[in-house]
Amino acid sequence: MTAINDVTEVTGSQKRSRWGSRLDRREGRTAFFFLLPGLIGMVLFLVVPIIASVVLSFTNWKLLGTPEFVGISNYVRLFTADPQFWPVLRNTLFFTAEYLVLNIVISLGLAVWISSLKMGQRWFRVVFFLPTFTPGIAVAIVWMLIFAPGGFFDFVMRSMSVAMPSMLTDQTLAMQAIIIVSLWAGVGYNTVLFNAALDMVPQSYLEAARIDGANAWQRFWKIRLPLISPTLFFGTVMTAITSLQVFDQIYVMTRGGPGNATATLGYAIYQRGFQNFQMGYASTIAWVMFALIMALTAVQFWLQRKWVHYDN
């Protein structure tokens, strides 16, 4: 009887296994059917354009006519024969460095301030997050009117008897105007992100540190900051990536000027591709910008081992 029961159990187990495998295959086909429209869209509007951009970077396609393969000539020209590339790259790195530091410092400070409030935390989160919903073009247009000669900013400076050149026409101040607008539009996201992380810090840790005699700065620097470091790292990486691609504010407010004082890689791609119709060369700049983003991200991931603390 024991042998018969064992055989019966094995047979039943095999049947259940075959039934389970058929069910898994059926569920897999159903899942693939529902995912197929999204996969088709991703291939058509993401994968194919990426491949096309790589191919175009090795051609001299001028939007009209047949692309002609030129090998790495576009890359050689970009690094050795284009007098605008290095100033544009310098502008991009300068904008990224200043905007990244100011964004993280301001948003973290606002997040700490909001978390210290007894009332109105939700209201302030909404207030600071609202600018992120505003289209970048609309934001740039409003701020262009504020910074324009004779605009609101000039009126405020004159009322305080401060002699100051126009922000958008001065080669030194134009980039600062772009950074101010970018901060106004982008600080809210990291503020809400960091504030949510601060709210997740266990109060028992802070109470224990307070009992041990730690002041507010020590509690922040030794407890709260290390505990939110993964969120801080995420915000830093995402902010760096978006800042390297800045375009809207520059296109609306300065068009890369005065001179080339605010021209960045994103604007150079537009200028080469859609003003000069050098689509092959524009694709080359785009892939150089992609390589720069990947390199900066890789450096950040390497450095995060020294300051990011994960709970194990």
Side-chain angles (χ1 to χ4, degrees):
M1 288 296 294
T2 303
I4 294 175
N5 290 336
D6 291 342
V7 171
T8 303
E9 290 179 1
V10 171
T11 304
S13 176
Q14 291 174 346
K15 288 182 179 179
R16 288 192 298 270
S17 178
R18 287 196 296 269
W19 170 253
S21 63
R22 286 198 298 269
L23 183 61
D24 290 341
R25 287 195 297 270
R26 187 182 307 164
E27 290 180 347
R29 288 193 295 267
T30 303
F32 179 77
F33 174 77
F34 283 105
L35 291 173
L36 187 59
L39 291 174
I40 293 174
M42 185 180 69
V43 170
L44 289 179
F45 299 107
L46 183 62
V47 177
V48 171
I50 289 175
I51 296 174
S53 176
V54 174
V55 175
L56 286 176
S57 69
F58 296 100
T59 70
N60 66 348
W61 189 42
K62 300 184 183 298
L63 194 60
L64 299 176
T66 303
E68 180 182 350
F69 182 76
V70 295
I72 62 172
S73 297
N74 285 336
Y75 292 91
V76 173
R77 172 190 169 189
L78 183 66
F79 288 106
T80 61
D82 190 340
Q84 295 183 353
F85 172 70
W86 294 109
V88 166
L89 179 61
R90 184 172 61 249
N91 290 340
T92 304
L93 295 177
F94 176 82
F95 173 87
T96 299
E98 183 172 347
Y99 173 75
L100 177 62
V101 172
L102 290 177
N103 187 303
I104 298 301
V105 171
I106 294 174
S107 59
L108 183 59
L110 290 174
V112 173
W113 174 70
I114 292 174
S115 67
S116 68
L117 297 176
K118 302 298 183 182
M119 299 175 58
Q121 290 192 17
R122 295 181 179 179
W123 188 83
F124 280 108
R125 289 191 195 114
V126 172
V127 168
F128 287 119
F129 194 69
L130 276 178
T132 63
F133 288 105
T134 309
I137 296 296
V139 171
I141 291 174
V142 172
W143 280 94
M144 180 181 65
L145 297 175
I146 293 174
F147 285 133
F152 179 74
F153 182 77
D154 280 357
F155 171 76
V156 172
M157 291 296 103
R158 287 197 304 268
S159 65
M160 295 189 301
S161 300
V162 176
M164 191 172 182
S166 174
M167 292 283 286
L168 299 181
T169 58
D170 185 85
Q171 290 195 346
T172 303
L173 298 177
M175 183 61 80
Q176 300 305 314
I178 300 296
I179 292 173
I180 291 172
V181 176
S182 302
L183 287 171
W184 185 88
V187 159
Y189 179 84
N190 282 338
T191 298
V192 174
L193 184 70
F194 297 157
N195 182 250
L198 288 169
D199 287 347
M200 296 296 292
V201 174
Q203 290 299 315
S204 58
Y205 294 178
L206 302 176
E207 290 296 333
R210 186 181 292 108
I211 292 172
D212 289 339
N215 56 35
W217 172 252
Q218 291 171 333
R219 292 195 300 271
F220 171 76
W221 189 255
K222 298 294 185 180
I223 298 177
R224 303 180 82 186
L225 193 61
L227 288 176
I228 70 167
S229 57
T231 305
L232 191 65
F233 171 66
F234 172 79
T236 302
V237 171
M238 297 305 297
T239 303
I241 291 174
T242 55
S243 61
L244 286 169
Q245 304 175 67
V246 60
F247 171 76
D248 292 351
Q249 305 90 307
I250 294 171
Y251 173 76
V252 173
M253 297 177 65
T254 63
R255 297 295 176 96
N260 282 326
T262 59
T264 59
L265 289 175
Y267 186 76
I269 294 170
Y270 161 79
Q271 198 173 38
R272 295 292 187 176
F274 297 98
Q275 289 186 337
N276 301 338
F277 304 111
Q278 300 175 353
M279 300 302 294
Y281 196 62
S283 297
T284 301
I285 300 175
W287 279 100
V288 170
M289 184 172 70
F290 173 77
L292 181 62
I293 292 173
M294 293 299 295
L296 180 58
T297 304
V299 170
Q300 288 177 303
F301 269 90
W302 179 73
L303 291 175
Q304 61 100 16
R305 295 178 298 177
K306 301 180 182 297
W307 64 276
V308 179
H309 305 277
Y310 295 99
D311 293 333
N312 295 322

